[in-house]
């Protein structure tokens, strides 16, 4: 067997594989001999079928199968030994019908080669790393939410701004009949709120569904309809008030602190505020890190210039998926995925250059911490090591889950590289200001 490569240019090559008779003949002969022992052909005893007949019936199929296996093994070995960084998979070049009666065969494959490039993390323009803090306003609002959640309901005669109203949405045509408890701040417009203020139990308020809530999901819940049913829904519904209650705020006492955080973990309002601030800012770190990761990714894709074997990749995409695509479809798919492919190559380069590694121990420890956090949400604060190890083993037996955790850890380690080596400026602001700056007004 002989394998040669011709580099068309820096991004494309053609590999030629020449297979001689001695490369496959022994294997083909052995398989046909085994076939002869078990062949069941009318007119002949088992094991006594003439070899010529076996070759005539099975010879070509066995030859084709063995040559293809030999070809794939040789090609894979060659790519590994030559340390060729290929994109996609080798594509067989079209050739005239193969003469399987011949002793020697030649096959050619097109290769798309990964480009060589440098990644410069430190650009001229600084990328913002947000340090999001929980300000007094946010802490006050969170304390009020807690007090409402754990407070008592006190019956009222009429609806006021902060009332909790229980009633029934109805519409005969759409067969709507759903009981809900709502607060006026959930409605989109002030006009709707005004319809409720001063109303009493037993009153019926007619509402238009169009523009009733900011979010269609709220309307789905209120009317108990599917997403398709509420999309663009423009009808009138009646809301019959059954109950009006006021939420009396819970006292900020030790009983409430213990319910929230466990016995004697928090003992004063000052400690409560500090705890709320700490917990909120831990969550903000995740959002800020994700924003930084997105921004650095965008910068790297825009600033790292290199060519790709676009024609080869477009051709490869025509047959790579579950469904074959024509050239136009493949070109559209390539254009959609080019940015992602570029980042994958940049990420791979950064991982190599910065020796970013994720070990099996890293994955196990991450899985344990993830499980521990989930158990804590259900009140299991001190699981044993054996419990954590057993659950982690079950989780990691799922290859998709193990891969997902590995990718998370790689992202975390790359983020640490970005924070250390990229041109970063830190900006401290409240969560409200962060949301406005990054996403626009709510």
């Amino acid at each position: 067997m002989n394998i040669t490569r011709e580099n068309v240019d820096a991004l494309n090559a053609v590999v030629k594989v020449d297979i001689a008779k001695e490369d496959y003949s022994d294997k083909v002969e052995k398989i046909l001999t085994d076939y002869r022992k078990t062949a069941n052909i009318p007119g002949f005893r088992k094991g006594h079928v003439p070899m010529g007949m076996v070759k005539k019936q099975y010879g070509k199929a066995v030859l084709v199968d063995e040559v293809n296996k030999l070809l794939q093994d040789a090609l894979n070995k060659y790519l590994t030994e030559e340390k060729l960084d290929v994109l996609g998979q080798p594509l067989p070049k079209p050739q005239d019908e193969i003469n399987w009666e011949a002793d020697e065969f030649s096959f050619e494959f097109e290769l798309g080669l990964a480009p060589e490039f440098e990644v410069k993390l430190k650009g001229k323009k600084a990328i913002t790393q947000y340090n999001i803090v929980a300000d007094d306003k946010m802490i006050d609002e969170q304390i009020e939410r807690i007090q409402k959640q754990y407070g008592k309901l006190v019956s009222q005669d009429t609806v006021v701004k902060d009332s909790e109203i229980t009633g029934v949405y109805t519409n005969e045509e759409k067969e709507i009949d759903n009981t809900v408890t709502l607060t006026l701040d959930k409605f989109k417009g002030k006009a709707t709120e005004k319809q409720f203020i001063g109303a009493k139990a037993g009153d019926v308020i007619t509402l238009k569904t169009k523009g009733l809530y900011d979010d269609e999901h709220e309307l789905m819940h209120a009317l108990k309809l599917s997403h398709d049913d509420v999309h663009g829904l423009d009808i009138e519904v009646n809301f019959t008030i059954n109950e009006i209650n006021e939420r009396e705020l819970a006292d900020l006492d030790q009983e409430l602190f213990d319910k929230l955080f466990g016995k004697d973990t928090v003992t004063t309002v000052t400690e409560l505020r500090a705890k709320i601030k700490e917990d909120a800012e831990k969550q903000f770190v995740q959002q800020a890190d994700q924003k930084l990761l997105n921004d650095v990714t965008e910068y790297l894709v825009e600033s790292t210039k290199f060519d790709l074997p676009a024609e080869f990749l477009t051709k490869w995409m025509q047959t790579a998926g579950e469904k074959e695509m024509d050239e136009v479809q493949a070109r559209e798919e390539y254009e959609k995925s080019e940015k992602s492919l570029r980042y994958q190559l940049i990420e791979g380069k950064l991982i190599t250059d910065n020796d970013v590694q994720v070990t099996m121990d890293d994955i196990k420890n991450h899985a344990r911490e993830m499980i521990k956090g989930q158990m804590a949400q259900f009140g299991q604060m001190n699981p044993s090591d054996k419990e954590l190890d057993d659950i982690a083993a079950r989780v990691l037996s799922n290859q998709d889950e193990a891969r997902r955790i590995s990718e998370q850890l790689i992202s975390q380690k790359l983020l640490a590289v970005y924070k250390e080596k990229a041109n970063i400026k830190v900006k401290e602001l409240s969560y409200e200001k962060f949301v406005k700056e990054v996403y626009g007004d709510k």
Side-chain angles (χ1 to χ4, degrees), residues 397-434:
S397 66
N398 182 323
Q399 290 186 349
D400 289 340
E401 189 64 22
R403 190 183 306 111
R404 187 184 67 80
I405 291 173
S406 176
E407 289 170 354
Q408 280 183 350
L409 288 171
I410 287 172
S411 287
Q412 287 176 12
K413 294 193 175 193
L414 280 174
L415 187 64
V417 172
Y418 299 159
K419 287 180 178 179
E420 178 188 350
K421 297 184 177 181
N423 185 2
I424 300 289
K425 65 175 181 181
V426 177
K427 183 173 184 178
E428 185 174 292
L429 72 183
S430 69
Y431 182 71
E432 184 177 3
K433 288 180 179 177
F434 168 77

Side-chain angles (χ1 to χ4, degrees), residues 183-196:
T183 53
L184 300 182
D185 60 322
K186 293 292 184 183
F187 291 120
K188 185 175 181 179
K190 294 291 183 184
T192 305
E193 182 180 300
K194 287 179 182 176
Q195 285 183 264
F196 278 86

Side-chain angles (χ1 to χ4, degrees), residues 258-263 265 275 279 282 368-369 371-385 387-388:
D258 290 347
K259 280 181 184 177
L260 293 171
F261 304 109
K263 186 166 176 58
T265 302
K275 180 67 174 167
D279 290 348
K282 279 181 185 176
R368 281 170 53 95
E369 289 304 311
I371 293 159
K372 197 172 181 180
Q374 290 171 348
M375 294 176 77
Q377 292 177 6
F378 294 96
Q380 294 175 268
M381 306 305 293
N382 294 300
S384 68
D385 286 340
E387 278 181 293
L388 291 172

Side-chain angles (χ1 to χ4, degrees), residues 261-272:
F261 304 109
K263 186 166 176 58
D264 295 334
T265 302
V266 169
T267 58
T268 65
V269 173
T270 302
E271 289 178 6
L272 171 67

Side-chain angles (χ1 to χ4, degrees), residues 47-243:
H48 290 78
V49 179
M51 192 58 169
M53 187 172 286
V54 172
K55 285 184 177 180
K56 184 176 180 181
Q57 187 161 345
Y58 302 108
K60 183 178 177 180
V62 172
L63 173 64
V64 171
D65 191 43
E66 287 307 308
V67 167
N68 278 327
K69 285 181 185 175
L70 191 63
L71 185 61
Q72 290 303 319
D73 290 345
L75 192 57
N76 290 336
K77 185 179 178 184
Y78 175 79
L79 295 177
T80 303
E81 289 177 350
E82 292 293 309
K83 297 179 180 177
L84 289 177
D85 193 0
V86 299
L87 301 178
Q89 294 293 331
L91 285 177
K93 288 191 76 172
Q95 56 181 307
D96 295 333
E97 189 172 344
I98 300 169
N99 178 15
W100 292 104
E101 300 298 325
D103 290 337
E104 297 181 348
F105 308 98
S106 290
F107 302 90
E108 290 185 335
F109 293 85
E110 296 178 64
L111 302 182
L113 305 177
E116 293 186 6
F117 57 91
E118 294 296 321
V119 180
K120 294 181 180 179
L121 272 173
K122 198 173 281 292
K124 290 181 182 178
K125 186 178 178 182
I127 298 170
T128 302
Q129 177 185 342
Y130 290 98
N131 179 25
I132 309 169
V133 296
D135 58 7
D136 287 341
K137 180 186 175 188
M138 168 171 269
I139 295 169
D140 290 341
E141 289 172 350
Q142 179 63 12
I143 288 174
E144 186 176 344
R145 278 194 291 272
I146 290 169
Q147 286 182 282
K148 283 183 177 179
Q149 182 182 347
Y150 288 89
K152 296 176 183 176
L153 285 177
V154 179
S155 181
Q156 290 179 300
D157 293 329
T158 59
V159 174
V160 295
K161 189 178 178 70
D162 295 327
S163 295
E164 289 188 16
I165 308 154
T166 300
V168 185
Y169 277 113
T170 56
N171 176 283
E172 281 190 33
E173 182 188 350
K174 294 289 184 180
E175 298 181 349
I176 295 168
D177 187 353
N178 189 43
T179 300
V180 296
T181 298
L182 55 81
T183 53
L184 300 182
D185 60 322
K186 293 292 184 183
F187 291 120
K188 185 175 181 179
K190 294 291 183 184
T192 305
E193 182 180 300
K194 287 179 182 176
Q195 285 183 264
F196 278 86
I197 299 296
K200 298 179 179 181
D203 286 354
V204 178
I205 297 171
T206 300
L207 304 166
K208 285 187 175 294
T209 56
K210 187 176 181 180
L212 188 59
Y213 293 98
D214 278 316
D215 188 348
E216 281 188 348
H217 290 91
E218 293 277 4
L219 191 61
M220 285 168 57
H221 171 72
L223 306 183
K224 207 172 184 179
L225 295 175
S226 69
H227 186 275
D228 289 341
D229 287 334
V230 300
H231 186 63
L233 185 66
D234 187 7
I235 61 171
E236 287 188 343
V237 290
N238 289 326
F239 185 86
T240 304
I241 298 175
N242 290 338
E243 273 183 53

